[in-house]
Amino acid sequence: MAARADFQIKKDAATHLASFLVTNGLISDVQLDQAITASSESDRGLIETILEFGFTSEESVAEGIGGMYGLEVARLQRMEDVQGDALKLLPMSFIEQNRIVPFEESAGTLKVAISEPNSLNTVPGVRTITNKKVIPYVITFSDMASVLDRLLRGDTAHPSPAPSSLKTIERKKPKAVSGSLARRLGEKKDKDKDPKDEAALSSEVVTLVDQVISDAIAAGVSDIHIEPYKTSSRIRFRKDGVLQDQQRFSESLGAHYAAVTTRIKIMSSLDIAERRLPQDGAFSARNGVKEIDLRVSILPTAFGERVVMRLLDGSSANLSLEKMGLSEADEKALKIAVDSPQGLVLVTGPTGSGKSTTLYSVLGRLNQVGVNILTAEDPVEYNMEGVGQVQVKDEIGLTFSSALRSFLRQDPEVIMVGEIRDQDTANIAIKAALTGHMVLSTLHTNDSVSTITRLLNMDIPPYLISSSLAAIVAQRLARKICDNCRQIDEDVSTDQYLTMGFTVEEASRSKLYKGVGCDQCSDTGCSGRRGIYEVLRITDGLREGILQGMTTLELLKTATEADGFMTMQNMGRSLMLQGDISAQEYRRVLLM
């Protein structure tokens, strides 16, 4: 009998398997009830309890699974039963996660071993990875545990060139299999299709996914969207903040949509059998010498799983404050704030406005041998040498607030919190800023001044806000006019000038520009993006205004008149007059 540690069957899979045992007469309903009761009263799994009580044996379970699904039962008691070449066809992480072991490989065919029915859901994924026809066999739980244990310990000392010691039991006549199960196993497809055709299809899917990612990296895309609809599907790239349809890929997607999502799940180490719940994963890809991290989100929709992949270029984490594009006054104000020994610096703006890049630029300035820096992020987008980065996991209780509490016991000088989402996190961050720490974080607000009002609405006392806040950075990302096709925009009317904040005099003598579209910018008129910022330093005048309960407009007036504060709109108008951004882009990004 295998030890308890050998039975690592997921709870839902164990329930499904127990139901299978009753349905096929291997145990009775009474025995199942007894096992459920005993399992709930101890720390043993349900299947382990059934076997320990002697209600059935591992061999009977394996033969029952084989009989139901029409599979042969194999014995893989030794590593000599497993071909080394077969093992190389699947990543070890995939083998461990899905409990499916490749043990014999020949031209166009791969034999794999499973010990529980749920593992059959991974067969299509194995077919996609290996470009081979996959034939599943059933082995006992103990055999599976033994082989996995040897593999994970790296004990593959005697892989044989041929499975001469492999023992199989003659294939039993399968019991009635539902149509859905037959489709899941791909049995009918395997009979009707030639293995060469199957391999060609899998190869086509792999090539398509790789080409999509490669082209996206080369084009400097920030996101890849793969979307299913009732009668069609499409692939879109988000470049310079705007989604663009990729018709050349959308046409190839078609009937291969499910295979494409499976391929991406495999690359991201996700559960390929789970199609009902959202999943998040990540992987890395290389295009030439450039390596990019991809953050993957899978979302089930009415017509299939929607995939969004965010491309994260590690070089962005090396951006310095001097290269962000801040005005001279704003750069000086921000440096003064972050160089202080303590205080709270907040970066605000909508999703996709470059907040993380700004935070990493600040961290790059502060990252020195004598400084202990800790970050709590969701997710960790860029790895920084010399910085202790923690991945937040709400499902296990590792939240921003709990991470912050632990940070304070790690003796840090600088703390970065990915986002202040609630009052608890805000309170801990502010108290940390008041007790000798530089705290960096983000908040979702429209501008810097309204961030103060947002903190007040989170029931943070005014005296804590005024005494902890050092600076607030608000920002947007705007598309730059293409240098190759830039020309004067004659279509901007006087009313539009006035709407954008220009005076009548400025409207009469100013010239704005636009891009008309060319080959270099793919006829968009835009090439690249730049940040538009406002940096609000919390001066004595603003601290007094916060304590007096000034409104947002009153605080803005105080900042503008007394402290020389320049809003994002001011910076945007300056960029229009320089010919960096168009009037259309200004209205899209900054008019609220």
Side-chain angles (χ1 to χ4, degrees):
M1 185 66 200
R4 174 175 168 266
D6 292 339
F7 291 89
Q8 300 177 4
I9 304 174
K10 295 179 181 178
K11 185 176 180 180
D12 57 343
T15 303
H16 174 81
L17 183 53
S19 177
F20 162 81
L21 296 177
V22 173
T23 302
N24 285 266
L26 295 173
I27 64 173
S28 66
D29 288 322
V30 174
Q31 289 173 328
L32 177 60
D33 290 339
Q34 292 175 353
I36 291 173
T37 301
S39 175
S40 64
E41 293 175 351
S42 67
D43 61 350
R44 293 174 303 191
L46 178 58
I47 301 303
E48 178 189 2
T49 303
I50 290 172
L51 294 173
E52 283 190 351
F53 279 14
F55 293 152
T56 188
S57 66
E58 291 188 51
E59 290 74 14
S60 296
V61 174
E63 291 177 18
I65 295 172
M68 180 171 185
Y69 295 107
L71 308 176
E72 289 184 9
V73 180
R75 299 305 304 269
L76 299 179
Q77 295 176 307
R78 302 167 307 192
M79 285 310 300
E80 287 85 346
D81 298 329
V82 180
Q83 283 186 8
D85 290 342
L87 281 175
K88 294 177 182 177
L89 295 175
L90 290 178
M92 190 57 64
S93 59
F94 183 88
I95 293 173
E96 179 186 9
Q97 179 181 350
N98 297 288
R99 302 179 72 79
I100 183 166
V101 177
F103 64 84
E104 181 181 338
E105 181 260 343
S106 58
T109 302
L110 178 66
K111 294 180 180 180
V112 298
I114 58 103
S115 61
E116 53 196 83
N118 275 19
S119 297
L120 290 168
N121 291 326
T122 65
V123 169
V126 175
R127 188 182 300 126
T128 299
I129 296 175
T130 63
N131 293 337
K132 292 182 180 293
K133 179 180 179 180
V134 179
I135 303 176
Y137 287 74
V138 185
I139 62 175
T140 64
F141 300 125
S142 295
D143 281 358
M144 176 62 74
S146 176
V147 171
L148 286 179
D149 181 60
R150 298 285 294 276
L151 290 176
L152 294 175
R153 285 192 287 112
D155 187 0
T156 56
H158 304 290
S160 66
S164 57
S165 58
L166 175 66
K167 300 176 182 177
T168 62
I169 298 176
E170 184 179 355
R171 184 189 297 263
K172 296 188 175 184
K173 183 178 180 181
K175 298 181 181 180
V177 180
S178 68
S180 61
L181 285 174
R183 285 192 296 274
R184 277 165 51 193
L185 292 176
E187 292 173 353
K188 184 177 186 302
K189 184 184 293 185
D190 286 344
K191 291 177 181 178
D192 294 344
K193 279 195 173 184
D194 186 278
K196 293 181 180 179
D197 294 336
E198 189 89 359
L201 174 59
S202 299
S203 177
E204 182 180 341
V205 170
V206 172
T207 301
L208 173 61
V209 173
D210 290 350
Q211 192 61 55
V212 167
I213 295 172
S214 177
D215 282 17
I217 294 174
V221 167
S222 63
D223 300 88
I224 302 171
H225 291 241
I226 304 177
E227 306 160 343
Y229 299 99
K230 186 175 182 179
T231 59
S232 64
S233 57
R234 69 180 177 185
I235 295 178
R236 294 191 290 175
F237 289 170
R238 184 181 295 279
K239 185 175 181 183
D240 297 335
V242 178
L243 283 169
Q244 301 171 357
D245 193 12
Q246 305 299 307
Q247 192 63 35
R248 66 190 189 284
F249 293 132
S250 300
E251 292 174 355
S252 302
L253 194 57
H256 308 331
Y257 192 91
V260 168
T261 57
T262 297
R263 168 68 178 166
I264 293 170
K265 284 182 179 180
I266 291 167
M267 297 170 72
S268 310
S269 299
L270 298 177
D271 185 354
I272 64 175
E274 179 57 73
R275 296 182 177 88
R276 301 165 300 171
L277 298 173
Q279 297 189 73
D280 295 316
F283 64 94
S284 296
R286 184 179 293 276
N287 185 15
V289 297
K290 191 172 188 179
E291 185 171 352
I292 297 290
D293 294 326
L294 290 94
R295 195 173 73 205
V296 179
S297 172
I298 308 287
L299 179 68
T301 68
F303 303 109
E305 292 178 297
R306 195 176 192 273
V307 181
V308 175
M309 294 183 281
R310 170 153 290 186
L311 283 68
L312 303 172
D313 186 353
S315 62
S316 298
N318 299 321
L319 184 66
S320 65
L321 289 180
E322 291 79 12
K323 296 179 180 179
M324 283 176 53
L326 291 161
S327 68
E328 185 177 346
D330 282 350
E331 182 181 320
K332 181 179 179 181
L334 182 55
K335 286 180 177 179
I336 291 173
V338 300
D339 288 342
S340 302
Q342 67 180 46
L344 176 63
V345 174
L346 295 175
V347 182
T348 73
T351 301
S353 59
K355 298 187 297 294
S356 294
T357 301
T358 298
L359 284 177
Y360 280 108
S361 298
V362 173
L363 287 179
R365 178 178 178 84
L366 301 177
N367 188 13
Q368 301 171 18
V369 175
V371 179
N372 182 18
I373 302 177
L374 296 174
T375 73
E377 306 173 58
D378 186 20
V380 175
E381 294 191 1
Y382 306 109
N383 295 316
M384 292 192 74
E385 191 71 24
V387 176
Q389 297 173 275
V390 174
Q391 169 70 59
V392 169
K393 296 179 180 178
D394 290 339
E395 63 272 14
I396 62 172
L398 183 55
T399 61
F400 282 122
S401 57
S402 64
L404 259 177
R405 289 189 181 94
S406 298
F407 285 180
L408 297 177
R409 296 188 286 271
Q410 290 278 321
D411 189 31
E413 278 83 23
V414 178
I415 296 173
M416 187 186 90
V417 187
E419 181 182 349
I420 293 180
R421 295 176 176 173
D422 50 47
Q423 181 185 8
D424 191 24
T425 307
N427 273 320
I428 301 170
I430 286 175
K431 289 174 183 176
L434 290 172
T435 54
H437 304 88
M438 170 53 62
V439 181
L440 312 170
S441 190
T442 69
L443 202 62
H444 286 283
T445 54
N446 287 331
D447 54 55
S448 57
V449 178
S450 63
T451 301
I452 298 172
T453 306
R454 171 73 177 125
L455 292 173
L456 291 169
N457 290 338
M458 296 174 74
D459 293 328
I460 307 299
Y463 72 91
L464 288 180
I465 298 174
S466 65
S467 56
S468 63
L469 265 181
I472 303 172
V473 181
Q475 64 184 74
R476 298 290 190 275
L477 287 177
R479 293 181 296 173
K480 295 167 59 179
I481 298 173
C482 173
D483 290 332
N484 189 59
C485 60
R486 180 172 58 187
Q487 65 179 38
I488 294 175
D489 189 353
E490 304 287 357
D491 298 327
V492 184
S493 65
T494 301
D495 287 342
Q496 289 175 334
Y497 272 103
L498 298 178
T499 301
M500 292 185 291
F502 288 99
T503 64
V504 175
E505 181 185 355
E506 289 172 332
S508 64
R509 57 182 173 82
S510 298
K511 293 293 182 182
L512 304 185
Y513 296 84
K514 67 178 180 179
V516 295
C518 64
D519 292 340
Q520 292 188 21
C521 63
S522 301
D523 291 322
T524 62
C526 302
S527 179
R529 288 192 292 178
R530 67 150 298 143
I532 300 178
Y533 306 93
E534 59 183 38
V535 178
L536 179 67
R537 278 202 65 211
I538 309 302
T539 59
D540 291 340
L542 283 173
R543 289 192 177 92
E544 185 177 345
I546 294 170
L547 292 173
Q548 291 176 357
M550 284 186 178
T551 64
T552 301
L553 290 177
E554 289 171 335
L555 289 171
L556 176 60
K557 184 178 180 181
T558 299
T560 304
E561 292 180 352
D563 304 316
F565 170 64
M566 185 173 73
T567 66
M568 288 183 289
Q569 286 72 21
N570 294 141
M571 185 175 183
R573 286 191 288 271
S574 176
L575 293 175
M576 278 193 289
L577 295 175
Q578 294 173 21
D580 283 352
I581 67 172
S582 65
Q584 180 183 6
E585 190 68 3
Y586 178 93
R587 291 193 294 267
R588 185 181 74 87
V589 172
L590 291 173
L591 285 187
M592 297 177 285

